[in-house]
Amino acid sequence: MVEQMILASECDVANEVICAPADVKELFELPTIFYIGDIAITRTIILIFLAAFIVIALLYFGLRKGSVIPSKFQAVVESLVQFVRKDVAEDIIGPEGVRYAPYLTAMFLFLLVGNLFEITPLINFPITSRMAIPAFLAIVTWLIFVIVGFYKNGFSYFLDIVWPKSVPIGLRWLVGLIELFSVFLLRPLTLAVRLFANLVAGHLMLTLLLGSGAIFIWNFADAGAKSLVGVAWFAFGLGIYLFEIVVAVLQAYIFTLLSAVYIQSSVHPEH
Amino acid sequence: MLYALSTVLLAAEEAEETGNIGLVLPESYELVAGIIAFGIVFFFVWKWAFPAIDKMLEDRQRAIKGQMEDAEAAKAEAQSLLDDYRKQLAEAKSQAAGIINEAREAAEAMKSDIVAKAQTESAQIGTKARADAATERDRALASARVEVANLSIDLAERVVGENLDRAAQLGLVERYLADLERMSD
Amino acid sequence: MEGSIEVLKGGLALMGYGLAAVGPGIGIGIVVGNAITAMARQPEMAGTVRTTMFLGIAFTEALALIGFVLFFIA
């Protein structure tokens, strides 16, 4: 909503083909709603807490009754939670996955709701398109798999990475270097950036296409024949909208899956 | 690694005013908000949602187990009832077969009895009738013989005109008749 | 002068990201294509193949993601 207003205030429908803000930041740094002391509470911060609230409400109302014969809603919530517990945590990490299941489940649900904010009408802003949440979760995953790796395997965890026995001796130092770089730096970085980048791109496309489509159609008096371009933008935006539903769910799943895989590689480093 | 991270962060701070680096770095307030929000979600999932779902699954397992045991018991009962019915049915069938056999035997016996009785009766009636006929004939023959003798004697008396010694004459007739009989045989 | 250098920098960064995306694009295509072949050959292994596929995509994609970050840093 806010983004569309930014677009509208700047867009010159007579001369532009598509409305784009002068600075992309304007689409992601949302205005402050109010202040608590010196802390500026932006719309993003409110949405972050809203996502947490929605997850908790979903779980609470889904599992509150705990009936033996579940209602439809309960069955959906149940299967969501059980999906992460069984199909992700236990199937990938193994029996020990039970210990990490709460973290993975909370992560999946929080990211799912956060991602789906992208396509929720009136919200239209994925909180995961801000680096804070992906970075935080990626760092937590990184800490978990590094600490678990050292705790379970001692120093040989590190040695196996920099001096892999399964590789011919001539190449061992090179593979070790790549692995060191990959495991300790690229894993958390790509984990965070993958989610962030997907949601940024999705949010950008949706705002620009739907926003400028709507503006061109609305200001057809100024735009003239160009409002047809607006119709095309809007139609394209709707297609992207459907695609983004898939992306939102898939990215939450991939983030959780990769976290599980990384943790698994520390629990059983031989695989 | 820490050094690399710090240089990246420093570079980010320098570039803050001009570039878009701010977009790819976490903003501190949002980071804090994200940590708090995720922490709440995590503790809720850990302390409330998982125990709740575990309890529910346990309940469900127990309920299903109970139901299955009930179903098992009901099935066993039905099986025993069915066996009983089958046994009773078989008994009834064999009884009915026995009764039918008995009846058939009885009927057979009765039939042969009746037939035998009828045969003997008819045989008796036949023999009796034959005997009656024989005695009747004998009696008729005897009486006819006496009559013939008497008539012949009477006739002879009339012819001769005197009383004949009846006894002697009778013997004569008898002898004569016997001769006749012998000749006719 | 300052403005035109800025524009040039932006254009170069965009081109850099475009080049960085080529390799991973091809790589992900190969990974997913082979994963589909594997799944078609052994459908009972589909779960394992899918997990490994995502892991492979994650490695391959890393280059494009680094390019994405560098685009913003530049």
Side-chain angles (χ1 to χ4, degrees), chain A residues 92 182 186-187 189-191 193-194 196-198 200 250 253-254 257-258 261-262, chain C residues 17 50-52 54-66 68-69 72:
Chain A
I92 290 175
S182 154
L186 280 188
R187 270 185 186 182
L189 193 70
T190 55
L191 194 61
V193 172
R194 177 178 304 108
F196 163 74
N198 271 289
V200 163
L250 195 68
Y253 170 62
I254 288 180
L257 182 80
L258 285 175
V261 170
Y262 293 158
Chain C
Y17 175 65
R50 194 178 302 119
T51 311
T52 319
F54 279 127
L55 199 61
I57 290 176
F59 281 133
T60 320
E61 211 180 20
L63 294 170
L65 293 173
I66 293 169
F68 179 84
V69 176
F72 277 102

Side-chain angles (χ1 to χ4, degrees), chain B residues 87-155:
Chain B
K87 214 186 281 168
Q88 282 177 4
L89 197 64
E91 262 171 31
K93 260 185 191 163
S94 69
Q95 265 179 6
I99 288 169
I100 288 172
N101 268 347
E102 253 169 48
R104 193 175 293 142
E105 272 166 25
E108 206 71 41
M110 210 178 270
K111 188 180 120 191
S112 55
D113 224 38
I114 288 168
V115 168
K117 222 183 260 174
Q119 271 173 352
T120 49
E121 236 166 65
S122 74
Q124 273 174 1
I125 288 168
T127 44
K128 203 181 162 198
R130 223 170 286 131
D132 278 1
T135 48
E136 207 60 37
R137 200 192 63 196
D138 284 356
R139 206 190 297 139
L141 214 60
S143 72
R145 197 177 282 175
V146 172
E147 207 63 30
V148 167
N150 280 336
L151 277 175
S152 340
I153 292 169
D154 280 351
L155 195 61

